[in-house]
């Protein structure tokens, strides 16, 4: 039984490596356009589908259903919470300032609100991004979460405890992102630092997502969580932050603040999983 599971996991990782390598070639060697990044985000799902096909298992075994909306609500609120806390601390300690007027000006142009107040533009864009942006982005994050939480952690669960599943899946997920970090930070002198910070954050988030996935027996909370995380960091809080010489070490997914806050939250869910024998 365990040998078959290991073969299934290795097959999935082999297919994922091949498909991802093609996308990474396009991103790193051709042009880091969003269409190539979108293709990369589909690789975990495609790898899961191909693996199931080769193993003669139906795609319907993946946790497509959702019986309790509680975990969808938590999957929205928790990333909003830890991102808000992280950036508030960043602004309070002077690792960045707010608001970035250039971003608000760009938003006003994008929305066709050139004659409106900055406050109204800010509120309108945040509302639109937090609803429309999140829903739209689920199409991309679902491509990852079908593979990571829908398939991989359920296979790993046949071999490991909750902690082992969370740590191993988190490490795989982090390593899969490393070429992107290389693209962003190569030549900066801080590449290893940013890889380490991102890896800690991803492994912490993996604990939370494993908990939500197993509790709900559904991949949808993870897809929503992932989308909210991406939108609020990449489209709202980081663009609104005025950076300084300290910012690179603290803001965004590659700085220190998010790993610290997400790790604290992850410890809470790890303990809950232990108490609940998850």
């Amino acid at each position: 039984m365990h040998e078959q599971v290991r073969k299934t996991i290795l097959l999935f990782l082999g297919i994922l490596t091949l498909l991802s390598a093609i996308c990474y070639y396009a991103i790193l060697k051709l042009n880091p356009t969003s269409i190539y990044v979108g293709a990369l985000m589909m690789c975990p799902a495609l790898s899961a589908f191909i693996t199931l096909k080769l193993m003669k298992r139906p795609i319907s075994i993946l946790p497509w259903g959702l019986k309790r909306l509680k975990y969808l609500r938590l999957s929205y609120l928790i990333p909003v919470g830890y991102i808000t806390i992280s950036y508030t601390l960043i602004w309070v300690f002077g690792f960045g300032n707010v608001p970035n007027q250039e971003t608000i000006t760009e938003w006003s142009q994008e929305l066709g609100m050139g004659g409106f107040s900055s406050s109204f533009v800010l509120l309108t864009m945040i509302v639109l991004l937090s609803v429309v942006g999140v829903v739209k982005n689920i199409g991309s994050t679902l491509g990852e979460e079908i593979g990571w939480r829908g398939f991989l952690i359920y296979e790993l669960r046949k071999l490991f405890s909750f902690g082992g599943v969370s740590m191993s899946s988190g490490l795989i997920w982090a390593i899969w992102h490393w070429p992107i970090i290389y693209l962003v930070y190569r030549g900066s002198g801080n590449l290893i630092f940013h890889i380490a910070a991102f890896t800690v954050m991803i492994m912490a988030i993996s604990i939370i997502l494993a908990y939500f996935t197993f509790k709900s027996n559904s991949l949808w909370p993870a897809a929503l969580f992932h989308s909210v995380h991406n939108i609020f960091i990449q489209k709202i809080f980081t663009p609104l932050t005025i950076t300084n010489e300290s910012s690179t070490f603290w803001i965004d997914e590659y700085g220190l603040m998010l790993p610290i806050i997400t790790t604290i939250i992850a410890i809470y869910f790890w303990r809950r999983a232990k108490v609940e024998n998850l």
Side-chain angles (χ1 to χ4, degrees), residues 152-216:
L152 180 60
I153 67 171
Y154 279 92
E155 293 301 310
L156 291 170
R157 197 182 194 185
K158 299 171 184 177
L159 301 175
F160 305 118
S161 65
F162 176 85
V165 170
S166 300
M167 291 293 95
S168 56
S169 63
L171 184 59
I172 291 168
W173 189 22
I175 292 172
W176 184 75
H177 282 89
W178 285 359
I180 289 289
I181 307 174
Y182 170 79
L183 174 66
V184 175
Y185 290 104
R186 61 183 173 183
S188 69
N190 301 315
L191 178 62
I192 300 302
F193 166 81
H194 291 301
I195 286 177
F198 179 84
T199 300
V200 171
M201 182 197 71
I202 284 290
M203 294 183 73
I205 291 173
S206 293
I207 295 169
I208 305 169
L209 291 183
Y211 180 87
F212 283 166
T213 303
F214 291 146
K215 289 291 287 186
S216 65

Side-chain angles (χ1 to χ4, degrees), residues 220-237:
W220 292 105
L224 177 61
F225 188 112
H226 194 159
S227 181
V228 173
H229 172 95
N230 286 357
I231 291 296
F232 274 78
I233 293 175
Q234 298 169 10
K235 302 296 185 181
I236 299 177
F237 279 89

Side-chain angles (χ1 to χ4, degrees), residues 36-205:
Y36 291 147
V37 175
L40 177 67
M41 294 180 74
M42 293 301 299
C43 289
L46 291 174
S47 301
F49 293 156
I50 294 170
T51 300
L52 288 172
K53 182 68 174 178
L54 293 175
M55 300 302 293
K56 295 182 169 48
R57 294 163 60 186
I59 291 175
S60 60
I61 69 168
L62 298 176
W64 297 107
L66 179 65
K67 294 181 180 179
R68 299 180 65 187
L69 295 180
K70 168 186 176 182
Y71 295 103
L72 280 182
R73 290 196 297 270
L74 290 173
S75 289
Y76 193 102
L77 294 174
I78 287 177
V80 170
Y82 68 65
I83 293 166
T84 301
I85 292 169
S86 296
Y87 276 81
T88 299
L89 291 172
I90 285 166
W91 300 330
V92 167
F93 288 113
F95 302 133
N97 297 301
V98 70
N100 188 329
Q101 194 58 49
E102 290 183 6
T103 295
I104 296 175
T105 300
E106 291 174 3
W107 286 357
S108 68
Q109 294 171 352
E110 183 178 350
L111 295 171
M113 292 183 171
F116 291 76
S117 69
S118 294
S119 298
F120 188 77
V121 171
L122 180 66
L123 179 61
T124 301
M125 185 58 102
I126 289 176
V127 169
L128 288 173
L129 286 171
S130 63
V131 179
V132 179
V134 166
V135 172
K136 183 179 177 182
N137 193 54
I138 286 177
S140 296
T141 59
L142 192 61
E144 285 195 47
E145 294 306 330
I146 289 172
W148 303 135
R149 255 57 63 175
F151 176 79
L152 180 60
I153 67 171
Y154 279 92
E155 293 301 310
L156 291 170
R157 197 182 194 185
K158 299 171 184 177
L159 301 175
F160 305 118
S161 65
F162 176 85
V165 170
S166 300
M167 291 293 95
S168 56
S169 63
L171 184 59
I172 291 168
W173 189 22
I175 292 172
W176 184 75
H177 282 89
W178 285 359
I180 289 289
I181 307 174
Y182 170 79
L183 174 66
V184 175
Y185 290 104
R186 61 183 173 183
S188 69
N190 301 315
L191 178 62
I192 300 302
F193 166 81
H194 291 301
I195 286 177
F198 179 84
T199 300
V200 171
M201 182 197 71
I202 284 290
M203 294 183 73
I205 291 173

Side-chain angles (χ1 to χ4, degrees), residues 203-275:
M203 294 183 73
I205 291 173
S206 293
I207 295 169
I208 305 169
L209 291 183
Y211 180 87
F212 283 166
T213 303
F214 291 146
K215 289 291 287 186
S216 65
N217 194 31
S218 174
L219 55 82
W220 292 105
L224 177 61
F225 188 112
H226 194 159
S227 181
V228 173
H229 172 95
N230 286 357
I231 291 296
F232 274 78
I233 293 175
Q234 298 169 10
K235 302 296 185 181
I236 299 177
F237 279 89
T238 296
L240 282 174
T241 301
I242 303 169
T243 58
N244 56 44
E245 62 276 4
S246 301
S247 297
T248 188
F249 296 102
W250 292 99
I251 73 168
D252 211 75
E253 298 176 295
Y254 313 110
L256 280 175
M257 193 61 76
L258 278 164
I260 292 170
I261 303 302
T262 53
T263 296
I264 293 170
I265 297 172
I267 291 170
Y268 167 77
F269 281 103
W270 185 304
R271 289 178 174 174
R272 282 193 61 171
K274 187 175 181 179
V275 170

